[in-house]
Amino acid sequence: MERRVVKVGLLGLGTVGSGVVKMLRQNSEELAQKCGYEIEIQRILVRDLDKKRGVEVDRALLTRDVRDILDDANIQVVIEVMGGEGETRDIVLESLLSGKHVITANKDLIALHGAHLHHAADSQNVELLYEAAVAGAIPIVRVLKQSFAGDNVREVMGIVNGTTNYILSKMTQENASYEDALREAQALGYAEADPHADVSGLDAARKMAILASISMRQAVPLADVKLQGIEGVTSEDVAEAKALGQVIKLIGRARREGDSIEVSVSPMRLPEEHPLAKVNDSFNAVYVYADALGEAMLYGRGAGEMPTASAVVGDLHAVLRGRKFAAGQLELIARWA
Amino acid sequence: MERRVVKVGLLGLGTVGSGVVKMLRQNSEELAQKCGYEIEIQRILVRDLDKKRGVEVDRALLTRDVRDILDDANIQVVIEVMGGEGETRDIVLESLLSGKHVITANKDLIALHGAHLHHAADSQNVELLYEAAVAGAIPIVRVLKQSFAGDNVREVMGIVNGTTNYILSKMTQENASYEDALREAQALGYAEADPHADVSGLDAARKMAILASISMRQAVPLADVKLQGIEGVTSEDVAEAKALGQVIKLIGRARREGDSIEVSVSPMRLPEEHPLAKVNDSFNAVYVYADALGEAMLYGRGAGEMPTASAVVGDLHAVLRGRKFAAGQLELIARWA
Ligand SMILES: NC(=O)c1ccc[n+]([C@@H]2O[C@H](COP(=O)([O-])OP(=O)(O)OC[C@H]3O[C@@H](n4cnc5c(N)ncnc54)[C@H](OP(=O)(O)O)[C@@H]3O)[C@@H](O)[C@H]2O)c1
Ligand SMILES: NC(=O)c1ccc[n+]([C@@H]2O[C@H](COP(=O)([O-])OP(=O)(O)OC[C@H]3O[C@@H](n4cnc5c(N)ncnc54)[C@H](OP(=O)(O)O)[C@@H]3O)[C@@H](O)[C@H]2O)c1
């Protein structure tokens, strides 16, 4: 049987984009077998055509003009790993409205514009998936949407920012000061040059807003998340907690309280034996409490090139195996018949 | 918009079956919204029509004759929670071959006849899902099949039998003898009157054969699983391990070794700080190691009425949202048009 080819447009070829290209190459045959389609990257949007990349790609694939992707009717799936939420929102919106399925790793985008983008996706019967946007390789989005779909989720709680977790781990394990731990995180590439979004708790708040919206089935605006970062955590705080057998972690929580939903991010003291107290470095972990399920926990890498790429490629598999893609294919065939 | 109704045939109304009926009732409106279909239980197979049930059901729904389900063309989905693997295999096979989607919680059935049943399901383009068969409420099957689909899984390892974990936990925490711990597990309903399948490691072996087959993409026969149970574990063994800061756990492992796949179940000593050492009572936990993903872990209830039912209902949601069900609906419409 001849395999049909699916053409993908990639927006961005930085950390995550390079990982996606590597994975699609390394596992191309297996993926094709599982999805039923050969996956071909048709075009890649970047800013700088001459930059050295983490992966070798044919220069002819690169473009600085997003229209090369938006206007290409052969591109059925767009993978957005460029970041940002102004121009990026417009690009993703146009992609969806022109009938392209979209996969994104962008939590800012989904936390701010998720409801609007979902609406656009539904209007065209295309997928909008974003597993990589929350807790990296941990399949928490799929599990909340699908596996626990028949259940009543009461609470989601966990560590969803790797940068702050790395800093707090260093402060705890090596008695480092906040400033030293932050510098080390930056040197290792765990923290950005401008670490504000991470250390202020904003990044975790975005992810918790997304998880709350999915699990409680009610859009939770980012502005409703109560937010406290780790900038105020001192080595004295860490030492004091330690003396009491406790560990300080930046914890995100989303809870049903009667009819309303409370979402918060703040540094919390956990007993040393608490499973979340043992989640160190850039790992993430998320607990889910639901009526039938009881308690469940998922743990894994919260970020990084390949773990994040693995979540993106998992979403690509889901798109190609899903009913919306199948419906689109039928329509295409009908149009040609 | 009028919602279409999907009729379900339920095989068995014991622990898991009752939980499924309860969940479908409690969350019927939400489920209907998410699936796009109203779910109606059309018929329930039992042995004893007069038995007292864990849930109230209209007596007219009960039947002792499986033909009432197999021959009913209106039943599009069969949920098998009766157990067994002789007669049950024939029933499931006939269901699939007559175009019904099947969801099962039955690890014996899948470990022994999974390949054959999958073949039948594929031949009719229907789903065969069994999330509840492995590690109860933990969505390990879906995650291995979908989220990690683009990755190369090297190893799956964990605690997948709640009964033996309960017994070992009691022996460790309360210095109980194997016999006393087993009796307690039986009194609490964690262990069957005949505990052989659990304590011999056979139940865990079935689950590991299933996980190995899914994650390594190669059918692993149950007979190939190296197997050692916990019957030989004495309180002296437990105490000796404890003195060394270790805990004994029944660990299942599936590993790629070059071109072959090694699957085993055996009691192992783990350092007390190992995350699996802290998985107690009837909880399960599964680690996955894959090239891109790195390391991930899923933790939750391995069995019990509602946790198991939650996995079954998650599969039902997946069937109704899936492309195979959609294709079947189109065919039905086409036949009537
Ligand atoms: N890194 C992680 O571990 C991780 C984890 C989870 C989620 N994410 C999310 O994934 C997304 C990408 O992250 P990343 O770390 O891969 O970022 P990155 O390394 O900075 O890469 C961004 C890429 O997008 C391109 N790009 C950005 N703005 C553009 C524009 N206006 N026009 C054209 N090209 C543009 C850049 O082009 P040039 O290369 O030419 O500059 C670059 O290739 C972000 O939304 C991030 O939040 C990242
Ligand atoms: N219990 C758990 O926590 C759990 C967890 C994961 C997976 N599972 C799996 O789920 C399945 C069901 O387990 P369960 O604990 O619910 O079992 P159960 O309580 O023994 O219930 C079995 C049900 O099936 C019916 N049944 C059995 N054989 C039948 C036959 N030949 N004809 C008609 N009806 C028959 C029984 O009818 P009567 O009621 O009339 O006797 C009963 O209602 C098993 O495969 C098990 O391995 C169970």
Side-chain angles (χ1 to χ4, degrees):
Chain A
M1 203 177 84
E2 211 194 322
R3 256 195 227 126
R4 277 165 299 172
V5 173
V6 170
K7 293 191 194 285
V8 171
L10 188 61
L11 307 174
L13 189 60
T15 305
V16 182
S18 302
V20 169
V21 171
K22 286 181 199 166
M23 265 192 95
L24 291 181
R25 277 195 197 147
Q26 275 157 20
N27 305 319
S28 64
E29 179 50 31
E30 281 194 348
L31 259 170
Q33 274 178 24
K34 288 207 241 168
C35 299
Y37 297 97
E38 241 161 80
I39 298 160
E40 209 174 281
I41 295 180
Q42 176 86 343
R43 221 60 204 278
I44 305 175
L45 182 74
V46 293
R47 275 178 302 216
D48 178 353
L49 296 173
D50 301 311
K51 196 166 168 179
K52 179 132 183 52
R53 305 282 162 189
V55 65
E56 292 241 352
V57 292
D58 184 350
R59 208 178 181 288
L61 289 182
L62 300 182
T63 178
R64 292 166 40 91
D65 185 357
V66 71
R67 301 248 54 99
D68 285 342
I69 290 173
L70 291 174
D71 295 341
D72 186 342
N74 288 319
I75 292 180
Q76 295 180 272
V77 183
V78 167
I79 297 178
E80 187 275 297
V81 285
M82 62 189 273
E85 53 85 14
E87 190 195 346
T88 310
R89 183 205 49 212
D90 298 338
I91 297 173
V92 166
L93 192 60
E94 188 178 335
S95 301
L96 293 169
L97 290 175
S98 64
K100 299 186 195 309
H101 306 269
V102 173
I103 294 156
T104 174
N106 189 333
K107 48 245 166 192
D108 320 21
L109 183 75
I110 298 298
L112 288 172
H113 310 296
H116 186 52
L117 294 173
H118 268 297
H119 190 79
D122 289 345
S123 78
Q124 303 298 319
N125 201 33
V126 291
E127 298 277 6
L128 170 65
L129 299 183
Y130 42 87
E131 185 64 82
V134 185
I138 302 179
I140 184 70
V141 173
R142 171 155 303 112
V143 159
L144 285 174
K145 279 199 185 171
Q146 295 185 13
S147 301
F148 306 157
D151 207 344
N152 189 23
V153 176
R154 277 177 286 111
E155 179 169 345
V156 178
M157 165 180 123
I159 296 171
V160 294
N161 179 275
T163 306
T164 50
N165 201 48
Y166 182 86
I167 294 172
L168 292 172
S169 296
K170 282 287 140 186
M171 290 175 73
T172 304
Q173 290 161 358
E174 300 170 14
N175 303 316
S177 69
Y178 170 74
E179 290 73 21
D180 286 347
L182 171 58
R183 257 192 300 274
E184 202 176 320
Q186 286 170 322
L188 286 167
Y190 287 142
E192 315 267 320
D194 176 2
H196 173 76
D198 286 318
V199 298
S200 68
L202 177 60
D203 178 83
R206 287 168 180 151
K207 292 165 178 166
M208 291 311 300
I210 296 173
L211 291 184
S213 302
I214 297 172
S215 54
M216 317 280 172
R217 289 152 215 163
Q218 187 176 316
V220 176
L222 183 56
D224 287 3
V225 181
K226 292 201 193 89
L227 180 59
Q228 189 189 336
I230 65 161
E231 303 110 319
V233 179
T234 64
S235 22
E236 288 73 43
D237 295 334
V238 172
E240 200 184 301
K242 224 181 202 173
L244 296 166
Q246 296 170 334
V247 176
I248 298 180
K249 291 287 184 187
L250 186 68
I251 299 293
R253 286 181 93 170
R255 268 175 300 173
R256 239 182 248 288
E257 296 281 350
D259 276 349
S260 74
I261 295 165
E262 294 241 331
V263 189
S264 64
V265 170
S266 63
M268 281 175 65
R269 287 180 177 188
L270 302 177
E272 267 164 15
E273 315 79 52
H274 193 288
L276 287 180
K278 313 200 185 274
V279 174
N280 281 322
D281 302 334
S282 66
F283 278 92
N284 285 189
V286 182
Y287 274 84
V288 180
Y289 302 89
D291 287 347
L293 173 72
E295 155 188 339
M297 195 261 267
L298 287 81
Y299 164 91
R301 290 235 169 248
E305 178 185 8
M306 296 316 288
T308 309
S310 98
V312 170
V313 175
D315 275 353
L316 181 56
H317 172 264
V319 164
L320 300 183
R321 297 288 302 160
R323 79 194 286 169
K324 291 181 180 172
F325 192 78
Q329 294 294 100
L330 277 181
E331 222 178 87
L332 272 184
I333 292 168
R335 227 182 285 162
W336 284 94
Chain B
M1 204 176 84
E2 212 195 323
R3 255 193 228 126
R4 276 165 298 173
V5 173
V6 169
K7 295 194 194 282
V8 171
L10 189 61
L11 306 174
L13 189 60
T15 306
V16 183
S18 302
V20 170
V21 172
K22 286 181 200 167
M23 265 192 95
L24 291 181
R25 277 194 198 149
Q26 276 157 19
N27 305 319
S28 65
E29 179 49 32
E30 281 194 347
L31 260 171
Q33 274 179 24
K34 288 207 241 170
C35 298
Y37 297 98
E38 242 162 78
I39 298 160
E40 208 173 283
I41 296 180
Q42 176 86 343
R43 222 60 204 277
I44 306 174
L45 181 73
V46 293
R47 275 177 303 215
D48 178 352
L49 295 174
D50 301 311
K51 195 166 167 180
K52 178 135 182 49
R53 304 284 162 189
V55 65
E56 292 243 351
V57 291
D58 183 351
R59 208 177 180 289
L61 289 181
L62 300 182
T63 177
R64 292 167 40 91
D65 185 356
V66 72
R67 301 249 52 100
D68 286 341
I69 290 174
L70 292 174
D71 294 341
D72 185 342
N74 289 320
I75 292 179
Q76 300 184 63
V77 183
V78 167
I79 297 178
E80 188 275 296
V81 284
M82 61 189 274
E85 53 86 13
E87 189 195 347
T88 310
R89 183 205 49 213
D90 298 338
I91 297 174
V92 166
L93 193 60
E94 188 178 335
S95 301
L96 293 168
L97 290 175
S98 63
K100 300 186 196 306
H101 306 270
V102 174
I103 294 156
T104 174
N106 189 332
K107 49 246 166 193
D108 319 21
L109 182 74
I110 298 298
L112 288 172
H113 310 296
H116 187 50
L117 295 173
H118 268 297
H119 190 77
D122 288 346
S123 77
Q124 303 299 319
N125 201 32
V126 291
E127 298 278 6
L128 171 64
L129 299 182
Y130 41 87
E131 185 64 82
V134 185
I138 302 179
I140 184 70
V141 173
R142 171 154 304 112
V143 159
L144 285 174
K145 279 199 185 171
Q146 294 186 13
S147 300
F148 306 156
D151 208 343
N152 189 23
V153 176
R154 277 177 286 112
E155 180 170 344
V156 177
M157 166 180 125
I159 296 171
V160 294
N161 180 275
T163 307
T164 49
N165 201 49
Y166 181 87
I167 294 171
L168 292 173
S169 296
K170 283 286 140 187
M171 291 175 72
T172 304
Q173 291 162 357
E174 300 169 13
N175 303 315
S177 70
Y178 170 74
E179 290 74 19
D180 286 347
L182 171 59
R183 257 192 300 276
E184 202 175 320
Q186 284 169 323
L188 286 166
Y190 287 142
E192 316 265 321
D194 175 3
H196 173 76
D198 287 318
V199 298
S200 69
L202 177 60
D203 178 82
R206 287 169 181 151
K207 292 166 179 167
M208 291 311 300
I210 296 173
L211 292 183
S213 301
I214 297 172
S215 55
M216 316 280 172
R217 290 152 214 164
Q218 187 176 315
V220 176
L222 184 55
D224 286 4
V225 181
K226 293 202 194 87
L227 182 58
Q228 191 190 333
I230 65 160
E231 303 109 319
V233 178
T234 64
S235 23
E236 288 73 42
D237 295 333
V238 172
E240 200 183 302
K242 224 181 202 173
L244 296 165
Q246 296 170 334
V247 175
I248 298 180
K249 292 287 183 188
L250 186 69
I251 299 293
R253 286 182 92 170
R255 267 174 302 173
R256 239 182 248 287
E257 296 282 350
D259 277 348
S260 74
I261 295 165
E262 294 241 333
V263 189
S264 63
V265 171
S266 63
M268 281 176 64
R269 287 180 176 188
L270 301 177
E272 269 165 13
E273 315 78 53
H274 194 288
L276 287 181
K278 312 200 185 273
V279 174
N280 281 322
D281 302 333
S282 65
F283 278 91
N284 284 190
V286 182
Y287 274 85
V288 179
Y289 302 90
D291 287 347
L293 174 72
E295 155 187 339
M297 194 261 267
L298 286 81
Y299 165 91
R301 291 233 170 251
E305 177 185 9
M306 297 315 290
T308 310
S310 99
V312 170
V313 174
D315 275 353
L316 181 56
H317 173 263
V319 165
L320 300 184
R321 298 287 302 160
R323 77 193 286 168
K324 291 181 180 170
F325 192 78
Q329 293 295 100
L330 277 181
E331 222 178 87
L332 271 185
I333 292 167
R335 226 181 286 161
W336 285 94

